[in-house]
Amino acid sequence: MMPQSATANILTVLDTDFKGIIEEWLGTQVKEGVKRSDLFSDAESRNQNRELLKAFSKGIREGVAGEDFDLDDDKWDDLRAVLADVSRERVNRGVTPTEMATFVLALKTPLFKRLEALADSDHSMLLRDVMLVTRLVDAFAIYTNEIFINEREQIIDRQRQEMLELSTPVVELWDRVLTLPLIGTLDSARAQEVMENLLQTILERQAEVVIMDITGVGTVDTQVAQHLLRAAAAVRLMGAECIISGISPMIAQTMVQLGIDVGTVSTRSSIRTALSDALLTVGYVIKKTEAQ
Amino acid sequence: MPLPSYAKFDESDLGAQVLLSQHRLKTSGDAVTARQAVARYMKENGASALSVTRFATAVSEIVRNAINHAGGGEFSIYVDRRRKTLTVVCWDNGPGIADVDLALSDGYTSGGGLGRGLGGAKRLAGRFEIRTAVNAGTSVLMSVNL
Amino acid sequence: MAGVTSINLVEHALLVSIQDDITDTEILELQDRLSNKIAQNRIDGVILDISALEIVDTFVGRVIAQLAGISKLLAAETYVVGMRPTVAVTLVELGMYLPEIRTALSLTHALAQLREI
């Protein structure tokens, strides 16, 4: 007997033995070594599997036309939502992408077994069902992986962001005078971050002078010099003055040898002179007290 | 002569993207409307201020080319909610670009012609693709992550 | 002109705030109007407030640079004030450092600098 739709057998299997499938799915995960009992309690795993399978069934029931489906479709909203939650949790607990994919793929075995029993010996029907389940579960797994990796990238991005912020403090030295002590290496990502951070602070504090101190920057090659000059140019565009301080004799020699033209940017060898010049610009002088 | 099919962007380039809006490009006011629409969509979807400015600037450059050098065209904005990207396509029936590499090449020219705008747009956009045929038109596709 | 709210004369300086919806046509008209005004009056400076501008692309950057050139020939300085950080970063990335123009944080700063000249 031919079923009325391509998904009829799969839905029958899911409806008649929903619980059994979940248990066996869990079992397969244990066997494949991807059930992280160190990270999730049994009850938690069972609960996640139940929610996922429920949403998956709903998607199959409503979101498969003929043999075609698209997980981006509205009909699969539920599955995508549950999956997003599950992935987020798993990423945060340190599950690997392989474990995550194997976890989803482990759903095939319990479904195949039941379809086989249902098909009796109608091999062409079984073949058709197995092919459809395979496509569905594969799509499910691929989608899971995408979400999972996306989630991980977001975490990495957030951490990178936090690290960058930590390493580029903008300090208000005096009213309308900012300083940016640069330390370590200045690559493109960091230079960009430094620049954004600096410009935002200029706006907030209405700073008129900015001292970029490069005493702590190990090497100044053409690229680093370019980054510095670009930052200085952006500072000037915003209407503030930029002084680059901490240019050691060695760095000065390198810069000249590299043919780097600092143009109109002011430079000072030490932060000391930069500071007194900056203060002078905003109307202050550093004076020795009489008592000394 | 309309842009030949090989030189236009179609579904295969746009994937699972949904059309958000379409704008006619004829006057310099249309250029403002187009880039402001892009900025609005990006802000609504939580893009950072810098990312909005960069991409809207790139949009401004390419729509101006269509308006000033090609007598106008059409501008469409697409979104891919799953991959969180915004894509724009700017299309015109103008003279086309004979040497794309040259048009994209960088370097300050005080006259600042077409090349500067296009090269700048390429640098500011995450993904930048250009298709063109001489005497038939130009189609530019740009994407940004939201 | 929708894109420009007003041109005001303060202490021999022309103050112009440019709005975000200014078109290419309008900004060229503005350049023209400002050039005429500088020539007609005794003007020391032109202060362009661009704090409302979300973007400054190569065209607008070029027009502003040209305006600075024109004012200089007519013995006036051009100041750009209130540029947003995102706009500054983008312009630098485009290679437009605009060395022709003077910049200041705000209108007040620009006026103070003009008095010193």
Side-chain angles (χ1 to χ4, degrees), chain A residues 176 192 195-196 199-200 202-203 206-208 226 229-231 233-234 236-240, chain C residues 80 82-85 88-89 91-93 96-106 109:
Chain A
R176 296 167 283 147
Q192 181 81 10
M195 208 200 291
E196 276 182 62
L199 299 186
Q200 192 58 42
I202 290 174
L203 181 68
Q206 289 287 293
E208 288 171 27
Q226 278 322 323
L229 295 179
R230 281 159 58 121
R236 190 191 77 89
L237 282 174
M238 281 193 62
Chain C
V80 166
M83 185 184 290
R84 297 188 188 181
V89 173
L91 275 178
V92 166
E93 207 161 340
M96 300 210 61
Y97 291 26
L98 301 176
E100 309 86 343
I101 58 160
R102 289 176 178 242
T103 57
L105 287 171
S106 69
H109 287 92

Side-chain angles (χ1 to χ4, degrees), chain A residues 80 83-84 87 143-152:
Chain A
R80 291 204 309 271
L83 208 46
S87 301
Y143 189 79
T144 308
N145 223 31
E146 222 169 276
I147 289 197
F148 192 82
I149 285 168
N150 214 327
E151 191 65 38
R152 286 231 300 199

Side-chain angles (χ1 to χ4, degrees), chain A residues 176 206-208 239, chain C residues 79 81 104-114:
Chain A
R176 296 167 283 147
Q206 289 287 293
E208 288 171 27
Chain C
Y79 280 83
V81 303
L105 287 171
S106 69
L107 212 67
T108 327
H109 287 92
L111 279 174
Q113 286 185 39
L114 266 175

Side-chain angles (χ1 to χ4, degrees), chain A residues 1 10 30 40 42 92 102 123 136 138 154 159 186 262 274:
Chain A
M1 187 191 76
I10 302 171
V30 175
F40 298 93
D42 267 3
N92 285 327
T102 319
H123 291 299
L136 283 161
D138 286 353
Q154 280 181 18
Q159 287 171 341
L186 200 63
V262 296

Side-chain angles (χ1 to χ4, degrees), chain A:
Chain A
M1 187 191 76
M2 285 296 283
Q4 51 277 62
S5 78
T7 52
N9 285 338
I10 302 171
L11 286 170
T12 307
V13 160
L14 281 164
D15 288 341
T16 47
D17 195 13
F18 190 76
K19 271 198 161 149
I21 293 171
I22 288 176
E23 288 309 317
E24 205 175 319
W25 186 15
L26 277 170
T28 325
Q29 291 166 32
V30 175
K31 218 165 57 205
E32 305 262 1
V34 292
K35 183 176 165 297
R36 298 290 298 260
S37 34
D38 53 328
L39 302 176
F40 298 93
S41 71
D42 267 3
E44 244 180 332
S45 297
R46 187 166 289 113
N47 206 16
Q48 283 185 352
N49 284 13
R50 188 184 310 117
E51 289 303 312
L52 280 173
L53 195 59
K54 217 157 76 184
F56 188 54
S57 311
K58 185 172 177 233
I60 297 175
R61 199 177 311 274
E62 297 168 7
V64 183
E67 293 194 355
D68 291 327
F69 58 91
D70 178 1
L71 290 200
D72 281 327
D73 209 308
D74 300 346
K75 302 284 199 299
W76 294 87
D77 276 353
D78 277 15
L79 180 67
R80 291 204 309 271
V82 178
L83 208 46
D85 285 346
V86 171
S87 301
R88 190 162 310 128
E89 234 186 286
R90 296 196 165 226
V91 169
N92 285 327
R93 297 196 197 185
V95 173
T96 70
T98 311
E99 282 169 344
M100 194 66 200
T102 319
F103 158 69
V104 173
L105 292 171
L107 178 58
K108 281 185 190 173
T109 318
L111 290 178
F112 286 169
K113 272 197 197 158
R114 282 163 183 77
L115 285 170
E116 189 182 12
L118 188 72
D120 207 8
S121 53
D122 185 343
H123 291 299
S124 65
M125 185 172 86
L126 178 62
L127 184 64
R128 205 189 59 177
D129 287 343
V130 165
M131 271 165 62
L132 184 55
V133 167
T134 304
R135 280 176 50 222
L136 283 161
V137 176
D138 286 353
F140 185 6
I142 288 169
Y143 189 79
T144 308
N145 223 31
E146 222 169 276
I147 289 197
F148 192 82
I149 285 168
N150 214 327
E151 191 65 38
R152 286 231 300 199
E153 275 171 0
Q154 280 181 18
I155 291 186
I156 293 170
D157 212 52
R158 209 161 47 233
Q159 287 171 341
R160 194 186 59 90
Q161 201 67 25
E162 283 163 5
M163 256 168 55
L164 282 171
E165 276 164 24
L166 276 178
S167 59
T168 55
V170 178
V171 185
E172 187 172 27
L173 267 186
W174 203 259
D175 294 343
R176 296 167 283 147
V177 179
L178 299 179
T179 181
L180 182 75
L182 290 165
I183 290 163
T185 52
L186 200 63
D187 58 15
S188 300
R190 182 140 177 263
Q192 181 81 10
E193 180 73 19
V194 165
M195 208 200 291
E196 276 182 62
N197 203 354
L198 179 63
L199 299 186
Q200 192 58 42
T201 319
I202 290 174
L203 181 68
E204 282 161 13
R205 303 286 167 87
Q206 289 287 293
E208 288 171 27
V209 192
V210 171
I211 302 169
M212 287 201 286
D213 183 63
I214 59 166
T215 308
V217 176
T219 48
V220 175
D221 54 14
T222 317
Q223 220 196 348
V224 170
Q226 278 322 323
H227 290 319
L228 289 171
L229 295 179
R230 281 159 58 121
V235 167
R236 190 191 77 89
L237 282 174
M238 281 193 62
E241 196 183 306
C242 188
I243 303 175
I244 301 179
S245 72
I247 301 188
S248 67
M250 209 181 77
I251 285 180
Q253 285 177 28
T254 326
M255 283 175 80
V256 170
Q257 277 156 13
L258 290 172
I260 295 161
D261 180 14
V262 296
T264 55
V265 182
S266 338
T267 50
R268 300 285 184 279
S269 61
S270 74
I271 192 161
R272 228 180 118 113
T273 44
L275 176 60
S276 65
D277 289 355
L279 286 174
L280 201 59
T281 307
V282 294
Y284 297 95
V285 279
I286 299 178
K287 224 173 103 187
K288 196 173 178 194
T289 56
E290 295 297 334
Q292 297 290 307

